[in-house]
């Protein structure tokens, strides 16, 4: 096993990009978070918060009036596709049969807006986003709303994972002018791409506390016709203010604080916000935040003889233990869900993202190195087993995500978590065999239900189920230690462990007959780089060449399918084609800063794990390319996107 310093001592990226992603795709981060499907206000524990539409504007927007006019039922998808049918993005394809006259992001849409003097309606999301699905079904399939969009706006749909630069610019506007952000993100722009109104999810019609999407469209339409000059002036002022605020440069400022001071401040901030009982650093919702846990391990490494060092280690290990025992971890199929809707890590938002798996595999491997507790290495191996089974392309690349939603049965409407939830009746039928030697009548099903907290009424509270879709359903979450479960029934610990493992395997086999969640088969260079790190680090820590081989195959995939030899540039995306082929968009989507940063990181980890110098050499070449396209020679630091790629956007941002 490699020593802790070998894998913990390289230092961390504490910016947003260090989360594993830049901007909006991020696995959690510290400053002004933009969590998926929710406003950014902390302390919200209800799933209903996910639906709170936030409207931000550079002009005043009146609230919804009393005279609500209910829309008719959403229409069935039209048979004639719109122009998104020609796009590769799974997210854009999901909107290809909307009656909305969608355009992909590009000059054709911008020229149309200028020629017809119409505002641009920009809608940004991704294919495994639950509330993106909801808005698509409620509003973008609605004939009346689509007519408003088609007559008075130029509608543009963007996959935030394809174009993180577009997402980041307009999310900056939404966050700066409202209480939060999230997806779907909906922003209205001038024909010159300057934002003037923005928000997240909108219900189709006005509610008691929420303005409806149809109302917003009507009022923006009227404002554009009657007060366009005021809109343009306010939009320009907001854009200028955002540009000034977003500039990061060395300039003539005094020297920044030392690394030691910043590390200490970061530790103190985390210590103050720590949840002593359940781990983590917020009330609810709670995100895994692997970069924070890695920071704490690094802090322990340099402060091992101090009380703060011990505290850092304790916070990280306790959080990882509580997460792994909670419902945010898929105990049947392994891997981690996106976040927990409650403080206890119990009921998750069920989406699974590659970036989370990659970073969590690394941090659980680090926990094993530090503690020697195989509990953590088992979790890391489970994560990688899930990725190999469910998120891997046959050529070595890794898919982006699995959806939170799936049909409970074939032909039914998808519901969140349907693939992952269990009733007591299902478990009893699947695990009906008696357990011999127990102090009371016992089946393997009852044993599993006791250990994982399943109840007849379901273990999901009504506050986490605003649509009443999850009644009687259960999320598996470890309620007792093996020792306590064994003592409760007078059994041996090893026997209980074996029976639980057997029971979980039977549930896994039963789950194979359920309709699977949608797979986002898009492959991103940045997330593939992170996954190369996940396999390389875990393989080296555990001494398993098989895992290092997965990392090697991932790096080969990146070089074969996501690297342009002639220019030395990375491509941002590629897509799974038919018959195991790999396809690209035309023209290709070139890489962003995060793609270079995390592919380089993955190659460095793979070099350390394999000692193959070719990976180090390629990392150095990519770093040279990154410096050439993204480094700000005047102000210092790296821009998130190439200057040419972001032409026309009102801001060019840095992390």
């Amino acid at each position: 096993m490699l020593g802790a310093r070998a894998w913990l001592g390289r230092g961390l990226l504490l910016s947003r990009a260090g989360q594993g992603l830049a901007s909006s795709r991020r696995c959690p981060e510290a400053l002004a978070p933009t969590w998926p499907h929710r406003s950014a206000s902390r302390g919200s524990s209800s799933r209903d918060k996910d639906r709170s539409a936030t409207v931000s504007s550079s002009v005043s927007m009146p609230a919804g009036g009393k005279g609500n006019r209910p829309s008719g039922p959403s229409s069935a998808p039209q048979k004639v596709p719109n122009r998104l049918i020609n796009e590769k993005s799974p997210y854009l394809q999901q909107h290809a049969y909307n009656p909305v006259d969608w355009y992909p992001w590009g000059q054709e849409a911008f020229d149309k807006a200028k020629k017809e003097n119409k505002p641009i309606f920009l809608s940004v999301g991704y294919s495994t986003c639950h509330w993106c699905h909801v808005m698509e079904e409620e509003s973008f399939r609605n004939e009346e709303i689509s007519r408003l969009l088609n007559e008075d706006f130029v509608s543009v749909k963007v996959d935030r994972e394809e174009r993180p630069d577009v997402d980041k610019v307009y999310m900056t506007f939404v966050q700066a002018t409202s209480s939060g952000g999230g997806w779907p993100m909906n922003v209205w722009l001038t024909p010159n791409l300057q934002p003037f109104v923005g928000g997240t999810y909108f219900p189709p019609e006005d509610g008691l506390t929420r303005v409806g999407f149809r109302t917003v469209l009507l009022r923006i339409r009227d404002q554009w016709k009657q007060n366009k000059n005021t809109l343009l002036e306010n939009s320009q002022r907001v854009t200028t203010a955002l540009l000034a605020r977003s500039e990061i440069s060395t300039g003539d400022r005094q020297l920044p604080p030392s690394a030691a001071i910043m590390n200490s401040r970061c530790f103190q901030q985390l210590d103050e916000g720590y949840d002593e009982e359940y781990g983590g650093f917020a009330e609810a919702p709670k995100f895994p935040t692997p970069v924070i846990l890695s920071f704490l391990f690094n802090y322990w490494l340099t402060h091992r003889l101090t009380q703060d060092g011990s505290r850092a280690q304790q916070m990280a290990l306790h959080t990882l233990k509580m997460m792994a025992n909670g419902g945010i971890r898929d105990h049947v199929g392994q891997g981690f869900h996106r976040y927990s809707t409650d403080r206890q890590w119990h009921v998750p938002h069920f989406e699974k993202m590659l970036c989370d798996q990659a970073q969590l595999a690394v941090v659980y491997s680090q926990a094993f190195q530090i503690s020697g507790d195989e509990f953590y290495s088992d979790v890391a191996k489970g994560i990688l087993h899930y990725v190999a089974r469910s998120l891997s392309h046959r050529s070595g690349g890794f898919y982006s995500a699995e959806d939170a939603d799936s049909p409970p049965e074939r032909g039914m409407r998808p519901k969140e978590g349907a693939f992952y939830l269990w009733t007591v009746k299902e478990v009893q039928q699947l695990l009906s065999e008696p357990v011999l030697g127990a102090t009371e009548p016992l089946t393997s099903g009852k044993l599993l239900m006791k250990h994982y907290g399943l109840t007849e009424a379901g273990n999901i509270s009504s506050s986490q189920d605003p649509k009443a879709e999850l009644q009687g359903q259960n999320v598996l979450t470890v309620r007792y230690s093996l020792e306590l479960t064994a003592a409760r029934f007078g059994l041996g610990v090893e026997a209980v462990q074996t029976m639980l493992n057997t029971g979980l395997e039977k549930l896994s086999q039963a789950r194979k007959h359920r309709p699977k969640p949608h797979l986002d088969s898009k492959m991103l260079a940045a997330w593939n780089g992170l996954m190369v790190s996940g396999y390389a680090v875990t393989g080296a820590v555990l001494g398993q060449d098989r895992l290092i081989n997965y990392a090697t195959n991932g790096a080969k995939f990146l070089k074969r399918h996501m690297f342009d030899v002639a220019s030395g540039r990375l491509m941002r995306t590629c897509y799974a084609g038919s018959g195991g082929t790999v396809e690209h968009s035309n023209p290709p989507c070139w890489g962003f800063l995060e793609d270079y940063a995390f592919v380089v990181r993955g190659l460095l980890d793979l070099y350390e794990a394999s000692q193959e110098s070719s990976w180090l050499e390629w990392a150095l070449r990519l770093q040279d390319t990154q410096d050439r396209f993204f480094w700000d020679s005047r102000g210092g630091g790296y821009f998130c996107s190439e200057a040419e790629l972001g032409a026309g956007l009102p801001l060019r941002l840095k992390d």
Side-chain angles (χ1 to χ4, degrees), residues 74-121:
S74 296
S75 65
Q78 64 178 38
K79 294 182 179 180
V80 179
N82 57 50
R83 57 181 58 78
L84 296 185
I85 197 68
N86 298 315
E87 298 297 309
K88 296 290 187 184
S89 160
Y91 177 63
L92 300 190
Q93 287 278 332
Q94 287 172 351
H95 294 75
Y97 287 90
N98 293 163
V100 178
D101 186 21
W102 289 115
Y103 284 78
W105 180 266
Q107 198 60 46
E108 183 183 5
F110 311 152
D111 290 344
K112 178 180 173 66
K114 291 176 183 176
K115 180 180 178 181
E116 299 181 9
N117 191 27
K118 291 180 178 178
I120 293 170
F121 168 62

Side-chain angles (χ1 to χ4, degrees), residues 85 190 194 314 329 336 339 449 575 599 605 651:
I85 197 68
T190 70
Q194 293 183 336
Q314 179 265 327
R329 180 185 174 201
F336 278 77
Y339 61 83
M449 289 187 290
Y575 308 85
V599 170
D605 286 334
L651 304 173

Side-chain angles (χ1 to χ4, degrees), residues 152-166:
D152 298 303
F153 303 88
V154 176
S155 300
V156 175
K157 179 59 74 173
V158 167
D159 184 335
R160 71 184 179 97
E161 292 168 357
E162 282 189 330
R163 290 302 301 261
D165 56 334
V166 175

Side-chain angles (χ1 to χ4, degrees), residues 511-567:
R511 188 193 274 179
K512 290 180 180 179
H513 298 288
R514 297 177 174 180
K516 292 195 68 175
H518 159 70
L519 173 70
D520 186 335
S521 58
K522 175 175 72 274
M523 290 171 273
L524 303 171
W527 296 10
N528 272 255
L530 286 170
M531 204 65 242
V532 169
S533 285
Y535 275 106
V537 172
T538 306
V541 167
L542 302 183
Q544 293 192 5
D545 291 339
R546 178 179 60 86
L547 299 180
I548 297 174
N549 288 339
Y550 274 104
T552 301
N553 291 336
K556 289 179 178 178
F557 179 90
L558 282 163
K559 196 163 190 178
R560 185 183 308 117
H561 294 291
M562 307 190 79
F563 177 63
D564 180 61
V565 177
S567 64

Side-chain angles (χ1 to χ4, degrees), residues 173-194:
F173 167 76
V174 171
Q175 286 185 302
T177 54
S178 74
S179 61
W183 298 274
M185 175 177 67
N186 298 292
V187 186
W188 285 262
L189 319 175
T190 70
N192 291 324
L193 307 184
Q194 293 183 336

Side-chain angles (χ1 to χ4, degrees), residues 17 78 147 180 209 236 275 283 303 319 344 574 592:
Q78 64 178 38
R147 179 180 55 78
T209 59
Q236 181 60 52
D275 184 339
E283 286 296 313
H303 297 78
T319 298
Q344 296 84 5
C574 64
F592 296 89

Side-chain angles (χ1 to χ4, degrees), residues 261-306:
I261 290 174
M262 292 307 298
N263 281 343
S264 179
R265 288 182 187 174
C266 188
F267 168 76
Q268 293 300 330
Q269 181 180 350
L270 293 172
D271 191 21
E272 290 169 7
Y274 183 65
D275 184 339
E276 295 285 355
E277 188 171 2
Y278 296 104
F281 303 91
E283 286 296 313
K286 274 187 175 174
F287 285 75
T289 59
V291 69
I292 289 177
L293 302 173
S294 286
F295 165 78
L296 291 172
F297 284 150
N298 277 272
Y299 193 83
W300 162 81
L301 189 67
T302 54
H303 297 78
R304 274 181 288 185
L305 301 180
T306 69

Side-chain angles (χ1 to χ4, degrees), residues 398-457:
F398 303 103
Y399 303 131
S400 293
E402 283 191 306
D403 211 321
D405 299 8
S406 61
E409 296 180 18
R410 301 194 188 283
M412 294 180 66
R413 179 179 177 179
K415 292 183 179 181
E416 182 169 10
F419 187 70
Y420 300 101
L421 297 169
W422 301 91
T423 64
V424 163
K425 182 179 179 180
E426 286 176 306
V427 175
Q428 287 174 333
Q429 289 176 342
L430 290 167
L431 306 176
S432 59
E433 60 276 4
V435 175
L436 302 178
T439 53
E440 62 184 76
L442 182 68
T443 64
S444 59
K446 183 179 178 182
L447 177 71
L448 185 140
M449 289 187 290
K450 183 71 173 178
H451 188 73
Y452 288 103
L454 279 66
T455 67
E456 286 278 0

